[in-house]
Amino acid sequence: MIFTTNIIPFNTDIWKTLEDLHICGRIPHKPYLALKYGSICQMCKEHYEDLAMLSIDHIIPKSEGGSTKLENKQLLCIHCHDEKTRSEHIIRSRK
């Protein structure tokens, strides 16, 4: 299977495991997360073949001190990412 990203095509036949991505040095985050989560949005649980339909989300927002490391990232579909961001802005505006 080949995923298409904004940066490079990502062929899962070449990099079959998450460990293989670590060995390669700099990890392309979106393909790594696609393998980790199976290209599934972590909110609505829909599966997406096209990585352009998925967005990297910071679990703990950077504005609240969240890290930019992989451990604080997940894949959300564009709709769910927009909804999560909107709700975070509403919560932040009420503080």
Side-chain angles (χ1 to χ4, degrees):
M1 175 180 286
I2 297 178
F3 295 113
T4 304
T5 68
N6 297 353
I7 304 167
I8 55 169
F10 180 74
N11 187 333
T12 57
D13 294 331
I14 296 170
W15 288 338
K16 291 195 181 273
T17 66
L18 299 178
E19 290 77 22
D20 291 338
L21 287 170
H22 285 293
I23 292 167
C24 291
R26 184 154 190 247
I27 302 167
H29 289 199
K30 203 170 201 181
Y32 175 92
L33 292 169
L35 280 178
K36 179 178 179 180
Y37 294 116
S39 297
I40 295 172
C41 171
Q42 296 304 290
M43 283 183 70
C44 69
K45 305 301 183 196
E46 288 291 322
H47 179 267
Y48 292 88
E49 288 293 326
D50 183 0
L51 287 186
M53 299 303 296
L54 292 165
S55 182
I56 295 176
D57 173 65
H58 291 88
I59 298 166
I60 300 170
K62 292 189 298 182
S63 62
E64 294 179 19
S67 167
T68 59
K69 294 184 178 185
L70 277 170
E71 295 78 26
N72 188 43
K73 292 181 179 179
Q74 65 182 346
L75 285 181
L76 299 179
C77 69
I78 294 167
H79 173 75
C80 288
H81 190 252
D82 288 346
E83 289 297 315
K84 181 177 181 263
T85 301
R86 187 175 303 116
S87 68
E88 289 167 350
H89 286 293
I90 291 168
I91 291 168
R92 212 171 19 253
S93 68
R94 291 181 181 167
K95 288 183 180 180

